[in-house]
Amino acid sequence: MTFLSALSQGPPRVVTAGAGLLDEALAAQAVPTTPVAWRPPLPGTADALARVLADPRRQAANELAVRRLTTARPRLVGVRRASEALAGPLDGAFLHAGPPITWERASGPMRGALVGAMMLEGRAGDEHEAARRLAAGEVALRPCHEHGAVGPMAGVVSPSMWLFEVRDEEHGGTAYCSLNEGLGKVLRYGAYGPEVLERLRWMDEVLGPVLAAALAAAGPLDLRALAAQALQMGDELHNRNRAATSLLLRALAPAVAEAAPDRAAQVLRFIDGNDHFFLNAGMAAAKAATDAARDVPGSSLVVAMARNGTDFGVQVSGLGGRWFTGPAGVPDGLYLGSYGPADANPDIGDSTITETAGLGGFAMAASPAIVRFVGGEVADAVRATLSMYEITLAEHPAYQIPGLGFRGTPVGVDVTLVARTGLLPVVNTGIAGRVPGTGQVGAGLVKPPVEAFTAALLALADEVSDPFENGHISTSARQ
Amino acid sequence: MTFLSALSQGPPRVVTAGAGLLDEALAAQAVPTTPVAWRPPLPGTADALARVLADPRRQAANELAVRRLTTARPRLVGVRRASEALAGPLDGAFLHAGPPITWERASGPMRGALVGAMMLEGRAGDEHEAARRLAAGEVALRPCHEHGAVGPMAGVVSPSMWLFEVRDEEHGGTAYCSLNEGLGKVLRYGAYGPEVLERLRWMDEVLGPVLAAALAAAGPLDLRALAAQALQMGDELHNRNRAATSLLLRALAPAVAEAAPDRAAQVLRFIDGNDHFFLNAGMAAAKAATDAARDVPGSSLVVAMARNGTDFGVQVSGLGGRWFTGPAGVPDGLYLGSYGPADANPDIGDSTITETAGLGGFAMAASPAIVRFVGGEVADAVRATLSMYEITLAEHPAYQIPGLGFRGTPVGVDVTLVARTGLLPVVNTGIAGRVPGTGQVGAGLVKPPVEAFTAALLALADEVSDPFENGHISTSARQ
């Protein structure tokens, strides 16, 4: 059938793709159309994309990687002091959130938290001495992610801090995250005043040991099941953790009362006072799950997204421990009290591990109430989740969204899908004050830098063996 | 413009009302229609409806009554032993759920619970003696509702049981509900074996006193705020109370640990073991709120719906303490284990006070996960809530449904709206075994009997003063 004879069969059937100009012009002429969403790939990625998409390993590698991510069974197995849990690897260093950073390039809240840790550990008498010693490089700074750990906001871990210890019962990995300090003036937001250090000392002397004893008695806690429940209860498990915190407290409270009758009330009151207490356990669970998906050759699955307050970095399963970074953006959201965007530090923290594992911004449709915390409408939350199905490899079998008919959350960001659609991961986050010592100033959403994903794609292309170039691709396609 | 000249102006515009026959016939002829939902009023109510709708007091009375219902501020102020809280009014009687009932007409689970209470109180040595004494009328049986109380399922309250005490801080009323025993073989479902009585004795000796001491220390608990939170967390607060139970435990745990260091663990473990623990506190809160709306002359607002396992009864604001009843139906739902509909007792319990207060079945859209407990699809839950806006007077200002854009739950059933639409309240419920001693066999939804609402409407009509009949209406319209 020729084009003209096809037209003569009846009214034209028009499929429009991408930008709406043609579609709108036809609609104005009352021609019915079938619009198809299409976006051009990210600028400068066409060659690399073609090469990576043609990699014969890719499909099976991604299937394996995302299966490992979604079948992980993280359980809370212990609460341990960093000096003990990470004794060897830590070796005097401080851990921090995000990709590697130096004191010189560190933002205000990161510097504030490092200064606080110096004083907490007795390695400086005051903030000036602390800053001087840090500037002199007396303390090695290493990413949490390089030591099997994650930390919210500044994410600083020093020896006297206690950690949730999470084991992936399916694949055997172990991950750590510090205990949540509560809200307001806290170290992770860059505050280091006397009340911050006093609270951290109480956490070292009371909270950590009591939780450790309680958990040892209560036995491991299934964090996958707990997170699945919390999603049915309106949490997205990054910026809203009220249900998960309640479920965690409920599960531990009897053992806490038994383990420390004289200190149980203060421990339970501390947890009850902070709706985000679960976040850190959830982050360790997400880290354990994403770590299971690491190091699958040829896989374009994102296994870490993390920010140090200066850079936003991603790591990709097929590319080992390499970081691909871009500048951290300033979140868009709601501010506390009289704070505004001018007070905000760029995006900071390892808590983006929740989005990496299919929670947080990716699960916003499970959490209509979140829009009251980060701004926007309920429909925005649903749209955010729906858009993430376009850049992910799977729907999580355990993490389901009641409002979407129990559809699994979108999980497993694929760098090639990001490049093809130009859609960036949706990230929920707290907002730290720019000036060291300020603390939290708000909460909102943030866009990761496109450069990080472009760089990762180019590196993936670089890894693809090329039959015509003896395993190498032309230098023009390299990052 | 004549009908024919109107037709000649262009294509006909057709509005169809009620049953779909005309609408479907026109649609088959490609005529666009605007269908309007319309149902005939309940049979035999037309005259009474006309009379009640013409009552000049009605609108203002209903506005006042529903405002009192929605502005109530129920707070959990105490946990008290029935022997003390209700000493005078109880006077040796046992309370029970629903409208008045005699031993002769009592269903299996109601008899089982009464038998258990006899043994618990030492008024019978075994079940045979207990049944004989009850049949002989040795114990007066009185509805909970007539003593400011409510009780789930059989709702039996005897002197050694402990009660949540809830005060409405806005209007000053007080309401009581017994403490939840947990799941499985429990008195409220008609079981009375040794483990049932042993648990009730432990509740008398440990749970009640410890909770009383903890609450006295922690201070009153705002149940309106807690329920509003739980609705944001997937509870509908009748058949799903997981979030509310978690929030309640969380709020009380520190004080429990302080009040009874040696018994805190067992108390917290008991509460943690039962996702419905909050239900009874929520029922007392609903009772306090609906009681505030009682006794407004001319109001057609329903202030109680309750079942005793034989009859389903309603009470109406403008009609004092009178009960209007019909036969209790058998719930339609999901059964536990090998149980089926043949094992089910007719509908039982005062927990319909939650629906009366705008929760439970009326709030199902807030609780997509509920459909996994009572059967059906998420869309059914949304439809159930939406349909209840048609028979209610208000949208609750504090109880909001995230998935409906934070719209308030439908609250305040108006007998005239039920009669006009033929829509009956949607009720979520547990299902008790028919045979005394069985316990719970399932959970589901149940339809109230239309007779109860028709009878209430006729009584309202009877109350309307009639200028032509010297304050009386013709006997034919009386119930």
Side-chain angles (χ1 to χ4, degrees), chain B residues 113-334:
Chain B
L114 290 167
V115 161
M118 289 294 281
M119 296 192 285
L120 178 70
E121 302 298 341
R123 295 175 69 170
D126 62 29
E127 63 209 78
H128 306 292
E129 185 190 349
R132 201 169 57 242
R133 290 184 184 279
L134 285 161
E138 289 184 20
V139 179
L141 305 181
R142 300 202 200 132
C144 289
H145 266 294
E146 295 182 5
H147 295 278
V150 279
M153 304 309 289
V156 169
V157 176
S158 66
S160 70
M161 296 180 192
W162 288 67
L163 309 169
F164 284 122
E165 182 174 55
V166 171
R167 188 158 306 137
D168 169 7
E169 300 293 344
E170 185 70 18
H171 311 103
T174 299
Y176 296 95
C177 185
S178 50
L179 303 185
N180 198 296
E181 308 162 75
L183 300 172
K185 298 265 184 204
V186 286
L187 191 83
R188 72 180 185 283
Y189 277 97
Y192 52 79
E195 80 274 33
V196 175
L197 301 183
E198 196 183 325
R199 189 188 304 112
L200 286 167
R201 286 192 192 103
W202 174 83
M203 291 171 72
D204 184 19
E205 285 155 23
V206 178
L207 182 66
V210 169
L211 284 182
L215 192 66
L221 208 67
D222 184 341
L223 294 177
R224 178 181 165 105
L226 197 156
Q229 273 302 322
L231 285 175
Q232 313 290 303
M233 296 168 71
D235 283 359
E236 43 71 88
L237 294 162
H238 185 172
N239 269 6
R240 186 170 164 107
N241 289 282
R242 175 169 287 163
T245 297
S246 305
L247 294 172
L248 180 67
L249 185 149
R250 195 177 148 174
L252 290 178
V256 166
E258 239 154 24
D262 54 329
R263 292 172 299 172
Q266 54 181 303
V267 165
L268 295 171
R269 202 163 273 134
F270 180 79
I271 299 175
D272 176 47
N274 172 17
D275 271 331
H276 290 292
F277 190 80
F278 177 81
L279 171 62
N280 301 36
M283 285 173 59
K287 168 71 173 162
T290 51
D291 272 5
R294 282 182 181 261
D295 301 322
V296 179
S299 169
S300 52
L301 178 80
V302 173
V303 292
M305 299 193 285
R307 316 87 93 196
N308 56 31
T310 304
D311 314 304
F312 185 114
V314 304
Q315 294 183 312
V316 175
S317 176
L319 297 170
R322 292 169 66 186
W323 288 100
F324 303 92
T325 63
V330 171
D332 180 24
L334 299 179

